[in-house]
Amino acid sequence: MAHIDQVSPTQPELPDAPNPIAQTLRMLWNDKFAFVSTVFLLLVVFCAVFGPLLFEDIATKQNLRGRNAPPFDFEKHWLFWLGGDALGRPLLARIIVAAQNTIFVAAGAVFFSLVIGTSLGLLAGYTTHNISQVIMRLADIIMSFPSLLLAVIVLFMLESSVFNLVIVLAITRIPIYLRTARAETLEVRERMFVQAARVMGASTRRIIFRHILPVVFPTLITIATLDFAFVMLAESSLSFLGIGIQPPEITWGLMVSQGRPYLTTAWWLSFWPGLAIILTTLSLNLLSHWMRTALDPAQRWRLENVGKKNG
């Protein structure tokens, strides 16, 4: 009897799954405004991390013979291309060094308010009515005070420092994340996959962090990007009023405040740090708009198809 080989039918090869990092970079490249904003923000972060290590000595060294040196004098050191301040210190070096405190305050306040507000919002949206009411009333108490006014009052009573500024600004921003997370949780908890997890006996902690948080988090990240710009402006306003970070520490807002008496004679003292604040907040807003589209499955196709249409 002849031996008949049993040949199994060949299975079609499945296409490789797209690399999420490459796909994200491609979508970012398709949106030129978001791409330029990201490059600029990476430059700001680089200055915040390495600026004090490279230029702190130059930024603090006084030279009264070069006080209020005008900008665009290319015969001097390149750090004086934006001019010098009232004590003869190069403005470009001081802007680079000041990026660290400015970004640190904004990032710290946004991080703490995001973590605390999201945790309380998830708890208020999923647990019992009594717990939700207590949490929401605390949020209402904080929101009843204007955020900047509350920060002014607290910082006036406490010592002005980087740590106190981060804590005060974080407390004033907690209700935003809390209310957003609660509203999203109230909607997500009624979906079929959450109800199925509840019927299967999943714990409350697992349901919140495994099933609800991944759905809620993209919206919160988008809000955090916008809030980063607001907190940075709030820090600049407090420093401008003289109750924020105090010398010898330096921020962009403090530089604007220090240049105010010389607006008519040395406009560049306030102009360049003010321009840094404007460009950073504008870049954050543009990046936030891109993130909102990229993280939404119903809108992501717009960014994915831009390159195909141009091609």
Side-chain angles (χ1 to χ4, degrees):
M1 185 175 179
H3 177 70
I4 300 176
D5 295 332
Q6 296 181 355
V7 180
S8 60
T10 59
Q11 297 180 353
E13 295 183 359
L14 297 176
D16 295 335
N19 188 341
I21 298 178
Q23 188 178 16
T24 302
L25 293 177
R26 190 180 305 111
M27 289 190 298
L28 185 62
W29 173 255
N30 291 338
D31 190 331
K32 302 305 180 186
F33 287 106
F35 178 78
V36 174
S37 300
T38 303
V39 172
F40 179 79
L41 292 174
L42 290 176
L43 178 63
V44 172
V45 172
F46 178 84
C47 293
V49 175
F50 298 103
L53 298 177
L54 299 175
F55 304 112
E56 186 172 12
D57 292 338
I58 302 176
T60 56
K61 185 178 181 180
Q62 300 179 10
N63 180 16
L64 296 181
R65 290 182 296 179
R67 61 190 307 268
N68 292 343
F72 312 122
D73 186 358
F74 299 109
E75 295 182 358
K76 293 184 178 181
H77 193 277
W78 64 273
L79 288 174
F80 279 91
W81 286 356
L82 298 184
D85 67 354
L87 296 177
R89 298 168 296 190
L91 281 179
L92 181 56
R94 290 181 63 77
I95 290 174
I96 294 174
V97 173
Q100 184 176 83
N101 283 332
T102 304
I103 300 302
F104 176 79
V105 170
V110 169
F111 174 77
F112 285 115
S113 58
L114 173 64
V115 172
I116 298 174
T118 301
S119 302
L120 294 177
L122 292 171
L123 186 64
Y126 189 80
T127 54
T128 61
H129 177 74
N130 293 333
I131 296 178
S132 176
Q133 287 299 314
V134 171
I135 294 176
M136 295 308 298
R137 296 299 75 79
L138 291 175
D140 292 339
I141 293 174
I142 297 177
M143 293 192 68
S144 63
F145 296 94
S147 57
L148 280 179
L149 178 60
L150 180 61
V152 168
I153 295 173
V154 175
L155 289 175
F156 182 78
M157 295 184 298
L158 299 177
E159 179 184 0
S160 296
S161 64
V162 175
F163 178 78
N164 289 339
L165 192 58
V166 169
I167 297 302
V168 169
L169 292 176
I171 292 175
T172 60
R173 310 308 295 170
I174 285 176
I176 297 176
Y177 302 99
L178 194 158
R179 295 170 71 93
T180 303
R182 178 179 178 272
E184 293 280 338
T185 303
L186 289 173
E187 190 273 331
V188 174
R189 75 175 185 179
E190 302 300 330
R191 296 185 183 179
M192 293 296 296
F193 65 91
V194 176
Q195 295 182 4
R198 189 184 303 118
V199 171
M200 294 177 63
S203 62
T204 300
R205 180 179 178 181
R206 180 178 178 84
I207 292 175
I208 290 177
F209 290 100
R210 182 69 180 272
H211 300 285
I212 297 179
L213 182 59
V215 180
V216 176
F217 198 65
T219 303
L220 296 172
I221 285 296
T222 305
I223 294 176
T225 308
L226 287 172
D227 200 40
F228 192 97
F230 177 85
V231 173
M232 191 170 64
L233 289 175
E235 181 276 324
S236 301
S237 301
L238 293 173
S239 297
F240 183 81
L241 294 174
I243 57 176
I245 296 178
Q246 302 296 318
E249 299 291 337
I250 183 172
T251 64
W252 291 340
L254 184 59
M255 292 182 65
V256 173
S257 176
Q258 291 175 341
R260 180 177 53 178
Y262 305 94
L263 286 177
T264 57
T265 57
W267 54 268
W268 52 90
L269 299 184
S270 296
F271 176 79
W272 296 120
L275 183 62
I277 295 173
I278 293 173
L279 292 178
T280 305
T281 53
L282 178 61
S283 299
L284 286 168
N285 287 327
L286 292 173
L287 183 60
S288 173
H289 176 73
W290 175 86
M291 290 180 62
R292 182 67 186 90
T293 305
L295 294 174
D296 187 354
Q299 301 292 330
R300 190 184 299 130
W301 62 272
R302 299 178 184 273
L303 297 175
E304 294 174 345
N305 292 337
V306 170
K308 299 178 181 178
K309 292 181 180 179
N310 295 335

